[in-house]
Amino acid sequence: MASAFITKTKAAIAQLTDPHLPAADVDITNCDREPIHIPAAIQPHGVMLALSNSRAGDWKIVSVSQNSAQYLGVSPESLLDRPLDQLLNGPQIQTIQSYLDENCEAVNPLRLEIEVDNTTRPFAAVVHRSAAVVILELELTDDKERITFFDFHSLVKRSIGAIQQTTNLTELCQAAAQEVQRITGYDRVMVYKFDEDDSGSVIAEVKRSDMVPYLGLRYPATDIPKQAKYLYTLNLLRLIPEVRYQPVPMVNAPSFDAAATPIDMSLASLRSVSPIHVEYLGNMGVRATMTMSLVRNNRLWGLLVCHHKTPRTLPYERRTVCEFIAQVMALELNAKFESEDADYKLHLKAIQVSFAKALLQSETLEEGLTCDVEKLLALTGSTGVAFCSGNQIKLMGDTPERSEVERLMDWLSDRFEHGSLYHTAALGEAYPLAQAFKGGTSGLMALSISKVQRLYILWFRPEVVQTVIWAGKPDKPTEIDQLGEVYLSPRQSFDRWQQTVKGQSLPWKACEIEAALELRTAVIGLVLQKADELSQLNSELARSNVELDAFAYIASHDLKEPLRGIYNYSSFLIEDYSSKLDEDGVDKLHTLMRLTRRMEDLISSLLHYSRLGRSELNSTTVDLGEVVSEVVEVIDMSSQKDVQVDVARSLPMVECDRIQVTELFMNLITNGIKYNDKAEKHIEVGYSADTAANPGQTVFYVKDNGIGIREKHLEVIFRIFKRLHAPKRFGGGTGAGLTIAKKIAERHSGQLWVSSVYGEGSTFYFTLEAAKHD
């Protein structure tokens, strides 16, 4: 039999690769590429017919299994290209059509009686559509094994009761295995659970006392290829009554091009099994199997596997009972997962609530998340955490070095392309640089809160050396047959094989992953709440601005009007009554006129400053050289002949509001002239680009040789109406010029600051965010 298995295995591989492929090029992916859904053969415990996919009255048999004479008493040649009504009667065909139309699983299988050699044979029939054909599968049944509704209810009632009485996942799996073993009588029934890496382990087992236990053993992902896992999600029950069967090939009608469109048997119960899998079962000493899929949340969670040491068939009705039990178990999985680690989950919920409160009471996000490091670590069961915001990284607990975390962040950016969370218990495998992390950091859970602001939280776990017990050495060796051709061979031994696993941390639990995601949700919810509050504040601010505009109008009109009246009447008094007033009275009238003029100037400056902050910027490309030239021309016209204004080098073109920037230069240059007691007043205008102190920025400056400013006054000079000298010194003024200049720089997303040496002069620097030097 071994040679037959090898021949089958090589044939399967030959469909995928060069039959003379070098041994170095044969690997486990050959199994993943084996087209097991189109084997062109079936198992011999039934017969299969493929019908033209047309209306029921026109169905023709386009392909039939070679064993049709054994079951139906008619050879394949006598059936091909013949109407189905030569085999089945009209009501039977109509029943099949009704099932296809309704796709109702309640009538699966159908019961058909067919005349064979003058005797009536009962068949269990299963029918489904598969691309271009309708597949009809027939298995002989025994009326003695037929299960009525009451039998079905009796069988499943006890099983469902046993399943529902379980309190955790372990009890659930063991109860399901026991019930299936009771109903089927298989020698061994196991629950096999897949891990995240697609390897799996036996977590429950019921067996004969003389059999070697498999409970707790782990199996590599390669034992069940990817396409086999996929088929398990489509076909929830697979039966092999005799592992050492000889495949029965399909015979095709001349009109049916099976090479161009092979029959897809993904949903077929009789589909022939991969020869590699047959050899695998033979190496385990298994002669019969039945496997039921356990699907949770639309993913293959595990399998209910039955093994028998001798050939064993199972009536279709009893299979249906077991399939029903498997589906009930799958539904119970979610409830059991919810009850797993219930206390731990409550603890995590309490931590989440405390973070929600801390975030509401904190000034910054960093403060809210890192105020209690122990809770931040406990949220995911970690020993170290890094809070990353922009280019800032705060490390807490046992973490890699800062430079290592920075490089890790660059690597993680690609992992956040399709989600906000990345986690692994074997970081060194995915990111080899992690193998050099101190303390053997092996577990990572990375949470992206904002990609734009590079806001991340990284949790770390240390390495935990583990011992894994495999069912045999976890590899698939390549072998060479007598012709020198290479094929894959399943391992021969399933004895316990112990492996020490390093470079891995404890796996992240689903509740810990959920806790991290809920923290992100809480943060985003807080940000949205703050955004709503900010929107309300903006609405209030807009309303206040409208009121301020109204006030500004009042200030410019209603307040100025009485001031003008006071000024005019004072002037009239001087003109008409100066001869009647003494010298002191006339001086007081002149003082009154001067004060009203100053009050009007202050109101005008306040109005200008108020409107400056709310007016729209009219940004255009502006030649600052022209702007400075215009300012100097105005200064020259004001008879400032003792002033020299130099431009250190050609000023650049910038995007700005020309009128406002002109006022900015005017205020700074006239300020340098005004507060200058030198006989020759000198002003220098220039700029520096991309300096070490201001990388990536263009910094403009206006430098004078005036009186300078004491250090203690460097900040206060920018306050509105703040003057450092008596009103009559240095030409007077309202003290709003520098305040307005600073506001203009800020309106352009820039800054204005000063450096000064008292008695020698001052240099005012400013930036315009949109400025670009040539």
Side-chain angles (χ1 to χ4, degrees):
M1 292 302 295
S3 61
F5 289 137
I6 291 173
T7 301
K8 297 174 194 173
T9 305
K10 287 168 55 181
I13 295 176
Q15 297 178 52
L16 311 169
T17 59
D18 185 337
H20 299 286
L21 192 68
D25 294 333
V26 177
D27 58 29
I28 59 174
T29 62
N30 292 88
C31 292
D32 287 334
R33 298 195 302 272
E34 184 185 356
I36 60 176
H37 62 299
I38 49 173
I42 66 169
Q43 299 180 62
H45 62 279
V47 62
M48 177 183 289
L49 296 89
L51 313 175
S52 57
N53 195 356
S54 57
R55 291 185 300 111
D58 297 329
W59 276 339
K60 288 185 178 181
I61 302 171
V62 296
S63 183
V64 63
S65 57
Q66 200 175 56
N67 60 351
S68 62
Q70 175 187 349
Y71 286 95
L72 304 175
V74 186
S75 68
E77 293 74 18
S78 300
L79 289 172
L80 292 174
D81 272 337
R82 300 296 178 86
L84 184 60
D85 59 14
Q86 290 193 5
L87 183 65
L88 302 179
N89 59 41
Q92 290 174 328
I93 294 176
Q94 188 58 47
T95 300
I96 294 174
Q97 180 63 56
S98 298
Y99 169 73
L100 288 174
D101 292 341
E102 298 174 10
N103 195 20
C104 179
E105 301 231 359
V107 293
N108 189 359
L110 304 171
R111 183 172 177 83
L112 299 179
E113 293 183 346
I114 302 175
E115 291 293 327
V116 179
D117 297 332
N118 297 320
T119 61
T120 301
R121 291 187 179 181
F123 287 91
V126 179
V127 61
H128 69 275
R129 297 186 187 276
S130 177
V133 297
V134 171
I135 293 180
L136 176 62
E137 300 176 83
L138 301 171
E139 293 184 39
L140 278 173
T141 63
D142 187 344
D143 285 337
K144 296 178 181 179
E145 291 286 345
R146 189 175 181 184
I147 297 178
T148 65
F149 170 79
F150 296 103
D151 295 329
F152 183 90
H153 178 268
S154 177
L155 284 170
V156 301
K157 181 178 180 181
R158 170 178 168 179
S159 300
I160 293 175
I163 287 174
Q164 291 181 335
Q165 288 176 9
T166 60
T167 59
N168 54 53
L169 183 62
T170 301
E171 291 181 4
L172 169 65
C173 295
Q174 191 64 28
Q178 288 173 346
E179 289 304 306
V180 170
Q181 198 277 336
R182 177 182 65 84
I183 293 170
T184 64
Y186 278 95
D187 292 336
R188 186 197 306 268
V189 179
M190 301 172 288
V191 175
Y192 181 90
K193 175 183 174 296
F194 290 105
D195 293 329
E196 287 190 7
D197 61 357
D198 280 342
S199 66
S201 56
V202 178
I203 61 174
E205 180 184 46
V206 179
K207 64 175 186 65
R208 275 184 3 202
S209 59
D210 61 335
M211 297 177 72
V212 175
Y214 289 167
L215 184 63
L217 296 185
R218 184 176 294 274
Y219 295 77
T222 54
D223 276 17
I224 305 178
K226 293 179 181 178
Q227 80 276 33
K229 292 185 178 75
Y230 172 68
L231 291 184
Y232 276 128
T233 65
L234 301 179
N235 200 339
L236 300 183
L237 187 144
R238 285 286 286 150
L239 180 74
I240 307 176
E242 167 58 280
V243 168
R244 298 179 187 176
Y245 74 91
Q246 291 297 321
V248 179
M250 297 295 292
V251 181
N252 304 310
S255 61
F256 182 66
D257 189 358
T261 56
I263 298 175
D264 186 342
M265 299 185 185
S266 296
L267 300 178
S269 301
L270 295 174
R271 171 171 50 86
S272 188
V273 183
S274 162
I276 296 177
H277 182 55
V278 168
E279 186 175 358
Y280 180 91
L281 294 173
N283 292 345
M284 295 183 76
V286 175
R287 290 291 299 273
T289 72
M290 183 173 70
T291 305
M292 291 153 287
S293 306
L294 299 172
V295 179
R296 176 176 178 257
N297 298 332
N298 298 319
R299 294 185 60 185
L300 186 63
W301 178 85
L303 301 169
L304 251 172
V305 183
C306 306
H307 284 177
H308 209 67
K309 288 291 187 179
T310 59
R312 184 176 184 80
T313 189
L314 199 68
Y316 212 110
E317 292 88 345
R318 201 165 287 266
R319 284 181 244 165
T320 304
V321 171
C322 294
E323 184 179 354
F324 180 79
I325 291 172
Q327 292 187 29
V328 171
M329 175 187 172
L331 292 173
E332 281 290 315
L333 285 174
N334 281 330
K336 296 303 181 284
F337 271 103
E338 288 297 322
S339 65
E340 289 284 298
D341 300 320
D343 292 340
Y344 184 47
K345 291 176 182 177
L346 288 174
H347 176 62
L348 296 184
K349 287 291 184 183
I351 295 176
Q352 292 171 23
V353 171
S354 67
F355 271 118
K357 292 180 180 178
L359 288 169
L360 287 173
Q361 297 171 359
S362 301
E363 293 292 329
T364 65
L365 182 62
E366 179 180 354
E367 179 186 342
L369 291 174
T370 63
C371 62
D372 193 330
V373 177
E374 292 300 321
K375 286 186 178 179
L376 187 59
L377 293 172
L379 186 68
T380 59
S382 306
T383 57
V385 63
F387 179 83
C388 309
S389 177
N391 295 323
Q392 304 297 317
I393 297 178
K394 183 175 182 179
L395 302 178
M396 296 156 280
D398 298 327
T399 67
E401 299 293 339
R402 185 176 302 275
S403 59
E404 294 173 331
V405 174
E406 290 173 350
R407 287 192 293 269
L408 178 61
M409 286 301 308
D410 294 334
W411 176 79
L412 280 171
S413 59
D414 293 337
R415 274 73 198 163
F416 291 131
E417 287 296 323
H418 304 292
S420 57
L421 187 136
Y422 172 83
H423 65 91
T424 176
L427 182 58
E429 295 180 10
Y431 179 64
L433 292 178
Q435 296 174 13
F437 286 174
K438 68 176 183 179
T441 297
S442 300
L444 169 69
M445 186 188 296
L447 181 68
S448 171
I449 298 175
S450 172
K451 297 176 185 177
V452 175
Q453 299 182 8
R454 286 178 58 85
L455 193 60
Y456 306 108
I457 304 176
L458 276 60
W459 287 278
F460 300 97
R461 279 182 176 176
E463 175 189 43
V464 176
V465 179
Q466 304 173 59
T467 299
V468 176
I469 301 176
W470 297 92
K473 191 173 182 180
D475 60 10
K476 278 190 177 180
T478 58
E479 295 186 6
I480 302 177
D481 65 9
Q482 294 177 351
L483 298 177
E485 295 180 352
V486 178
Y487 66 94
L488 289 175
S489 173
R491 58 184 183 274
Q492 302 292 322
S493 173
F494 291 85
D495 292 339
R496 290 173 176 257
W497 191 82
Q498 185 169 301
Q499 180 186 25
T500 300
V501 179
K502 296 183 178 180
Q504 294 189 11
S505 70
L506 293 176
W508 301 96
K509 294 183 177 182
C511 59
E512 294 166 342
I513 295 172
E514 183 180 351
L517 290 173
E518 289 187 2
L519 177 64
R520 180 178 186 272
T521 302
V523 171
I524 293 175
L526 178 64
V527 171
L528 293 176
Q529 179 181 336
K530 294 295 184 184
D532 287 341
E533 294 175 358
L534 183 60
S535 177
Q536 293 178 359
L537 288 175
N538 285 336
S539 298
E540 291 294 322
L541 183 60
R543 184 182 59 79
S544 298
N545 284 338
V546 172
E547 294 176 354
L548 187 58
D549 281 336
F551 168 76
Y553 176 80
I554 294 173
S556 62
H557 184 272
D558 295 356
L559 292 181
K560 282 186 176 183
E561 188 62 27
L563 284 176
R564 293 193 188 101
I566 294 173
Y567 180 88
N568 291 336
Y569 274 99
S570 298
S571 177
F572 294 156
L573 286 173
I574 291 175
E575 291 177 3
D576 298 339
Y577 297 99
S578 58
S579 59
K580 297 181 180 181
L581 296 174
D582 56 16
E583 182 178 351
D584 183 55
V586 172
D587 287 342
K588 289 180 178 178
L589 285 175
H590 280 297
T591 300
L592 182 61
M593 292 174 64
R594 186 174 66 254
L595 290 175
T596 55
R597 189 182 298 113
R598 174 168 172 75
M599 176 64 76
E600 186 173 1
D601 290 342
L602 289 173
I603 292 173
S604 297
S605 295
L606 180 61
L607 175 62
H608 180 50
Y609 179 77
S610 172
R611 290 191 181 278
L612 187 67
R614 298 189 308 281
S615 62
E616 292 289 334
L617 288 178
N618 183 22
S619 293
T620 57
T621 302
V622 177
D623 185 344
L624 292 187
E626 291 184 2
V627 170
V628 173
S629 296
E630 293 174 1
V631 170
V632 172
E633 185 178 347
V634 171
I635 291 173
D636 288 341
M637 292 173 60
S638 64
S639 301
Q640 295 284 352
K641 303 300 182 183
D642 57 344
V643 177
Q644 179 181 351
V645 179
D646 294 328
V647 178
R649 57 170 170 160
S650 179
L651 296 175
M653 306 281 288
V654 301
E655 292 290 327
C656 64
D657 186 310
R658 183 186 183 94
I659 295 175
Q660 290 193 13
V661 171
T662 299
E663 184 176 5
L664 171 61
F665 275 107
M666 177 67 78
N667 285 356
L668 295 180
I669 292 174
T670 55
N671 198 71
I673 296 172
K674 183 176 181 180
Y675 295 98
N676 198 319
D677 56 0
K678 306 297 192 297
E680 295 183 0
K681 300 177 175 59
H682 181 256
I683 306 294
E684 179 183 322
V685 180
Y687 76 97
S688 59
D690 200 20
T691 61
N694 299 279
Q697 283 190 314
T698 300
V699 179
F700 301 94
Y701 66 86
V702 176
K703 182 178 181 181
D704 64 61
N705 64 339
I707 62 175
I709 306 169
R710 287 187 172 89
E711 185 176 357
K712 65 181 180 178
H713 295 143
L714 292 179
E715 292 297 328
V716 299
I717 60 171
F718 294 109
R719 297 178 187 171
I720 192 167
F721 303 144
K722 180 65 178 179
R723 289 178 50 84
L724 302 180
H725 309 93
K728 293 183 178 181
R729 291 197 62 192
F730 300 106
T734 63
L738 288 178
T739 308
I740 291 173
K742 185 177 178 66
K743 173 63 74 173
I744 292 172
E746 291 173 348
R747 289 280 286 138
H748 286 77
S749 301
Q751 294 178 307
L752 174 65
W753 68 97
V754 63
S755 67
S756 182
V757 177
Y758 185 68
E760 297 182 12
S762 304
T763 303
F764 286 86
Y765 301 92
F766 65 92
T767 59
L768 304 172
E769 188 65 26
K772 298 179 180 179
H773 63 277
D774 293 334

